[in-house]
Amino acid sequence: MNILVQFKMQRTPKILIIVDHEYTALNIATFIVKNKLEKIHYYILLDNCNYHKKKNIKDIFSFLKNKFYYYSKLNLEYKYFRILKLTSFYKIYKLNKKNKFKTLKFYNQKKLLQKNFEKIFFSRSKSSRIILNHFNCEKIFFFHAFSDIIHFRKTNIFLKIKRTIENIVSFYIFNLQIIPDHKILNINIFNFYKSKFRQIKFLDQKSYEFVLRNFLRKVKLKKIRKKIILINNVPPYKYGNQVLNNYVNYYLKKISKYLKKEIDKKKYIIIYKTKIEFRSKKNILYKSLLKNLPNYKIINENKLTKRYIPIEIFSYFYRPKKIIAPTSTSNYLIKGFDPTVEIILDDSKKFFDNVNKKELYKQIDNNTQLVLKQLKNIHKKIL
């Protein structure tokens, strides 16, 4: 579906982009290419981005002719009103009010509130939810992950009434932006949900690939001629050594059994990839794979590039035959570009089912289950 964007051309149009994640940046850049908006002036706020995200996002937007960057380190929390937490109303109100003051101060210092923007492109970054109602212009929401689809699911009448009350209080008293909002256009890269959502406009693969290829021109990646198995994994470092060691033993047992049974070590090379925050750590899982699978050629992503590259871009370049990974948005994007790739879920879910019996992990588990419940049919179809 074509998405036409019109501007009054009496002056140079200006757009504010508030972004904190590469997926959102890819989404926004694809929208710009799709609608041929490259010549507009962009004011891009990188909201609480680390060094690697800053570099990646700036390279994603490198094709833009006129752009001005701003950097926010406001690591502020905001909370929406929830009927079941009515007793915390005043505490949440005070927290949001305090953080809104800090956010307004930052935007004023950068003179962003004084600019007359035609549009704002935003996602779920922290400052965007607090600041949006201070701009009188069109706002467009861009997905930051497939889990955002939860906000568009159909609900029963009782839940709908409950949510309406919560949204009214959150918007008019807490002054927080609500998603979905019938006044706001919602954009995702392309429809890997295989479903119809009237509230969401989808982009096209051709424009997205232009953005990917432009990004890859900025990156040096060593080429590999053998068939590739890509292991994308995030060990649970933050949960302590006991949980970490249990996880490594569990994972090694599962993956060793799979590789020895299914994979010809002479035909494949295995690339191990993890999140940026764990690349500089003593990578216990990678070293354990080397030790337990000495006959397999296993290399760390560090050997291929000094930069951190998001998995969906990394996979687009290397075109692996198989990917062993947990459930994530990246799986859907990778599968969308290469239907022949085999994605094997790494079975971490069963491990964390046991871990999540403890209070510390309940919220993580609940969020994961909510996403999978909404996407279970889609999940079975493409994975």
Side-chain angles (χ1 to χ4, degrees):
M1 179 182 295
N2 275 339
I3 305 170
L4 298 177
V5 182
Q6 296 179 348
F7 291 97
K8 295 179 180 179
M9 299 305 293
Q10 290 86 349
R11 54 189 172 79
T12 304
K14 295 191 289 289
I15 292 178
L16 173 63
I17 297 175
I18 307 174
V19 62
D20 67 345
H21 193 275
E22 290 101 335
Y23 179 87
T24 306
L26 288 168
N27 213 342
I28 294 171
T30 302
F31 179 83
I32 292 170
V33 171
K34 168 79 174 176
N35 291 282
K36 297 180 172 57
L37 303 175
E38 294 91 336
K39 295 182 180 179
I40 289 170
H41 286 197
Y42 289 93
Y43 295 74
I44 305 171
L45 173 63
L46 303 184
D47 201 1
N48 290 295
C49 295
N50 61 33
Y51 168 81
H52 301 279
K53 282 188 177 181
K54 285 179 185 176
K55 190 168 182 60
N56 283 339
I57 292 171
K58 290 177 80 169
D59 282 345
I60 288 169
F61 289 126
S62 63
F63 67 94
L64 297 178
K65 304 298 181 185
N66 303 295
K67 53 188 178 293
F68 310 92
Y69 284 101
Y70 301 82
Y71 307 95
S72 165
K73 294 182 179 179
L74 294 172
N75 191 18
L76 303 176
E77 293 296 330
Y78 55 84
K79 294 187 177 181
Y80 288 85
F81 172 68
R82 296 292 178 257
I83 289 175
L84 296 179
K85 295 184 179 181
L86 187 59
T87 55
S88 302
F89 177 89
Y90 186 62
K91 181 180 178 181
I92 295 172
Y93 174 78
K94 284 177 63 179
L95 173 72
N96 288 337
K97 185 177 181 180
K98 180 181 72 173
N99 289 340
K100 181 179 179 180
F101 173 80
K102 292 180 180 178
T103 304
L104 284 171
K105 183 178 178 182
F106 170 81
Y107 275 76
N108 270 315
Q109 287 175 341
K110 301 299 180 182
K111 298 183 179 179
L112 290 170
L113 289 175
Q114 291 76 30
K115 297 188 185 299
N116 188 15
F117 293 111
E118 274 70 16
K119 297 178 185 292
I120 298 178
F121 298 165
F122 74 102
S123 184
R124 303 188 67 80
S125 67
K126 292 181 178 180
S127 75
S128 67
R129 291 303 184 88
I130 298 173
I131 202 69
L132 285 175
N133 65 339
H134 289 270
F135 292 98
N136 184 25
C137 63
E138 182 183 357
K139 304 170 182 74
I140 301 180
F141 173 77
F142 291 83
F143 277 46
H144 89 293
F146 69 59
S147 56
D148 283 335
I149 202 68
I150 288 174
H151 303 288
F152 298 85
R153 71 191 190 277
K154 292 181 180 179
T155 57
N156 61 51
I157 185 64
F158 299 105
L159 186 58
K160 190 172 183 179
I161 292 170
K162 174 180 174 290
R163 185 172 296 160
T164 299
I165 295 171
E166 291 175 341
N167 286 348
I168 289 171
V169 174
S170 293
F171 185 78
Y172 289 102
I173 298 179
F174 291 175
N175 300 129
L176 297 174
Q177 182 62 56
I178 304 301
I179 296 295
D181 183 330
H182 70 279
K183 296 178 182 178
I184 291 178
L185 182 63
N186 306 288
I187 304 291
N188 199 15
I189 290 175
F190 47 86
N191 190 356
F192 44 68
Y193 306 103
K194 306 299 180 186
S195 303
K196 293 181 180 179
F197 294 91
R198 292 181 180 179
Q199 296 167 287
I200 305 170
K201 303 298 182 185
F202 296 101
L203 302 173
D204 66 290
Q205 186 169 324
K206 184 179 178 181
S207 299
Y208 183 73
E209 288 196 83
F210 169 85
V211 175
L212 287 184
R213 288 194 297 268
N214 180 72
F215 176 87
L216 286 169
R217 283 196 284 269
K218 305 288 181 181
V219 180
K220 290 182 179 179
L221 286 166
K222 293 180 181 178
K223 293 183 179 181
I224 295 177
R225 300 195 181 278
K226 268 191 171 184
K227 293 179 181 178
I228 294 170
I229 296 173
L230 178 58
I231 297 177
N232 185 35
N233 184 272
V234 184
Y237 286 102
K238 62 181 179 181
Y239 301 139
N241 289 333
Q242 184 177 349
V243 172
L244 175 60
N245 291 330
N246 289 342
Y247 174 80
V248 169
N249 291 332
Y250 175 89
Y251 189 88
L252 276 174
K253 182 179 177 181
K254 292 284 184 179
I255 201 167
S256 297
K257 182 180 178 181
Y258 168 77
L259 291 173
K260 289 175 181 177
K261 183 180 178 181
E262 303 288 341
I263 302 302
D264 184 344
K265 55 182 175 291
K266 294 179 181 179
K267 293 182 179 179
Y268 288 91
I269 188 168
I270 299 171
I271 301 175
Y272 177 82
K273 182 170 175 54
T274 191
K275 282 194 172 181
I276 182 59
E277 54 264 41
F278 303 128
R279 287 182 75 181
S280 59
K281 288 180 178 287
K282 183 180 178 181
N283 202 321
I284 183 171
L285 181 55
Y286 171 65
K287 291 185 177 180
S288 298
L289 287 170
L290 291 176
K291 183 178 179 181
N292 285 271
L293 298 164
N295 295 324
Y296 287 82
K297 177 66 174 177
I298 306 174
I299 60 173
N300 198 310
E301 63 176 319
N302 292 344
K303 302 293 184 181
L304 302 172
T305 178
K306 294 180 180 180
R307 285 184 59 171
Y308 172 73
I309 309 297
I311 180 66
E312 54 267 36
I313 303 177
F314 193 86
S315 178
Y316 181 81
F317 180 84
Y318 282 108
R319 303 286 177 165
K321 297 296 181 182
K322 300 175 187 288
I323 296 177
I324 302 172
T327 304
S328 73
T329 301
S330 303
N331 295 345
Y332 292 83
L333 285 171
I334 292 166
K335 193 76 173 179
F337 281 113
D338 185 4
T340 66
V341 66
E342 183 181 358
I343 298 180
I344 302 118
L345 295 184
D346 67 14
D347 207 21
S348 298
K349 176 65 180 59
K350 290 182 180 178
F351 172 82
F352 285 105
D353 277 347
N354 295 323
V355 174
N356 285 331
K357 291 176 182 177
K358 299 180 181 180
E359 187 67 29
L360 180 62
Y361 312 106
K362 280 185 178 178
Q363 186 177 359
I364 300 167
D365 184 59
N366 289 340
N367 290 340
T368 302
Q369 291 310 304
L370 187 57
V371 174
L372 292 178
K373 184 177 179 182
Q374 296 299 319
L375 297 172
K376 59 183 179 181
N377 292 331
I378 302 161
H379 199 258
K380 287 178 182 175
K381 281 182 184 177
I382 71 171
L383 297 179

